[in-house]
Amino acid sequence: MDGKRALVIQIATIVILFQLQHTTTWAKQLENPSFHEPIENVTVTAGREAILKCVVDDLGLYKVAWLRVDTQTILTIHSHIITKNVRIGVTHSERRTWFLHIKDLRESDRGWYMCQINTDPMKSQVGYLDVVVPPDIVDYQTSPDMVVTEGSNVSMVCVARGSPTPTILWKREFGETIKQDRRDREGEASVEGTVLSIHHVNRKHMGPYLCIATNGVPPSVSKRIMLVVNFPPVIWIQYQLIGAYDGQQIVLECNSEAFPKSINYWTRDTGEIVPQNEKYDPYLVHNSYKVHMKLTIRRLETADYGIYKCVSKNAMGDTDGTINVYRIPKPAVSNKTTTQKRKIAGSKTSISTDLSYSSRSKSDQPDSLFLEEKKSSSQELFQCAHVYFLNLLALVLNLLKPQQ
């Protein structure tokens, strides 16, 4: 009896299993999965996480897989990770929306990815993952700080990598224009290109330059390149003849330009260096490669008249300029007001010659950085002309006086 009962149970089980298998096959035949929308192309910055989305309708008992198209690598099947790449992950929402996650994104992850349904025939669609990389300047291919001689040609190179390929823009750090050759009178606020070439470089080109790399992916990067231009000293004097009278205080002035930085000092025509004391006060004002030299002489005496030299020396050479201080008659004093007016006029009796001295050539003309245009009223101009005429007349009389 028990044997018959066991046989009946086995037969019933076989029938149920057969019916379940038949039902499942029939259900699959009724299901028809389809993609609800195409996979959107994704652009992500390197180092971040990329997420590709695949939306499937009526998936039923079928399964979804993600593949890398170019290598035909299976990444995931349903909820299981197949690849050994630990940066790959998969999630889904109600078995309808399937997400492929790629963490710590690299440039090598760029490419096409396939979302696949295991129907017969198989259904699939692809989406593109673009990996962008912020610009980065390649130091070993980029120019370091440069030292050149005035008049030579110079080329500064700046190389950057990134995706998309970065654009290089050159600018001067303090906003000056970039003049690439002598014919370029105005210059450009910026110059585009990997190489910045400057022909016949001069002292005005000296200073810091910035090469800036951009490709639309923040942040932009830059490198500072210092351009140093060496040249021998040049001296420019505004007044070479200065008339003064006994007891007066005067100021001699020279403008020097040189790089490397020069040694600057004052001498007499005998070669003796003018010391700093109660009578003489030499003073220097430095501004980049420019030096403004001043020598104050207090309470002029007979021994103070004569030739003074402003001297400038550096490793490239040396030069000097001369100023002649000559005696003029002391203005007559009638009253306090007249004395004050004559002192004002007397301080403007210097004769301007505007000469330039250079150890190389007379064509080097420095900038008049320290010189300011002085505006005078018509009365002051008349007084200056009158005193100048008197000074000139006194100089002529002194020259005509017989030698003792």
Side-chain angles (χ1 to χ4, degrees), residues 42 79 136 286:
V42 176
S79 299
D136 181 36
H286 294 270

Side-chain angles (χ1 to χ4, degrees), residues 72-350:
Q72 292 295 309
T73 304
I74 299 176
L75 304 177
T76 68
I77 296 178
H78 224 56
S79 299
H80 303 286
I81 309 298
I82 305 303
T83 179
K84 293 181 180 180
N85 190 340
V86 296
R87 298 182 296 113
I88 300 294
V90 63
T91 60
H92 65 87
S93 175
E94 298 178 352
R95 291 172 47 87
R96 183 172 183 267
T97 306
W98 297 83
F99 300 98
L100 176 67
H101 301 261
I102 307 175
K103 298 178 181 179
D104 189 20
L105 205 59
R106 302 172 185 174
E107 281 193 82
S108 57
D109 296 322
R110 183 186 294 114
W112 293 95
Y113 290 81
M114 176 183 292
C115 177
Q116 185 182 97
I117 306 173
N118 64 334
T119 55
D120 188 16
M122 175 268 294
K123 295 181 179 180
S124 66
Q125 61 177 359
V126 295
Y128 189 78
L129 171 61
D130 189 16
V131 181
V132 294
V133 182
D136 181 36
I137 293 176
V138 185
D139 285 333
Y140 73 91
Q141 292 181 293
T142 299
S143 298
D145 293 344
M146 305 184 72
V147 180
V148 298
T149 303
E150 190 171 45
S152 61
N153 298 331
V154 62
S155 294
M156 291 180 281
V157 180
C158 185
V159 177
R161 59 190 172 199
S163 181
T165 302
T167 298
I168 302 296
L169 201 65
W170 293 90
K171 290 185 177 182
R172 299 195 67 174
E173 187 174 71
F174 301 114
E176 302 99 327
T177 58
I178 300 176
K179 298 180 180 180
Q180 295 185 267
D181 55 48
R182 294 176 178 176
R183 296 170 295 178
D184 191 359
R185 295 183 178 180
E186 299 296 330
E188 300 292 337
S190 61
V191 176
E192 184 176 330
T194 301
V195 180
L196 174 63
S197 296
I198 301 176
H199 302 282
H200 303 289
V201 68
N202 61 56
R203 66 202 68 175
K204 294 182 180 180
H205 291 113
M206 184 158 50
Y209 289 75
L210 298 176
C211 77
I212 305 168
T214 58
N215 66 349
V217 183
S220 299
V221 293
S222 65
K223 182 175 180 179
R224 185 177 187 265
I225 301 174
M226 186 70 184
L227 177 62
V228 176
V229 181
N230 288 338
F231 59 96
V234 176
I235 284 181
W236 191 84
I237 302 173
Q238 185 178 19
Y239 301 114
Q240 280 197 292
L241 289 175
I242 297 181
Y245 52 84
D246 291 347
Q248 187 181 2
Q249 176 175 301
I250 62 172
V251 179
L252 312 183
E253 297 183 76
C254 283
N255 297 290
S256 169
E257 297 183 2
F259 203 89
K261 288 185 177 181
S262 57
I263 299 173
N264 299 80
Y265 56 91
W266 293 88
T267 69
R268 296 299 302 269
D269 51 351
T270 59
E272 179 184 359
I273 295 178
V274 177
Q276 183 170 13
N277 51 36
E278 293 182 356
K279 176 175 282 290
Y280 301 108
D281 183 16
Y283 181 69
L284 302 178
V285 179
H286 294 270
N287 187 344
S288 183
Y289 57 84
K290 304 175 183 180
V291 179
H292 185 47
M293 302 175 62
K294 287 185 176 183
L295 176 61
T296 301
I297 307 175
R298 303 182 181 93
R299 299 181 302 277
L300 277 171
E301 299 173 345
T302 301
D304 298 323
Y305 297 104
I307 301 296
Y308 290 81
K309 290 185 178 182
C310 49
V311 181
S312 180
K313 295 182 177 181
N314 73 357
M316 303 290 292
D318 61 83
T319 188
D320 60 65
T322 61
I323 298 177
N324 186 6
V325 180
Y326 63 93
R327 177 187 277 130
I328 62 174
K330 188 173 183 179
V333 179
S334 59
N335 54 52
K336 186 176 181 180
T337 304
T338 304
T339 301
Q340 290 177 346
K341 289 183 177 179
R342 288 182 177 178
K343 283 184 177 180
I344 293 173
S347 65
K348 300 181 179 180
T349 60
S350 302

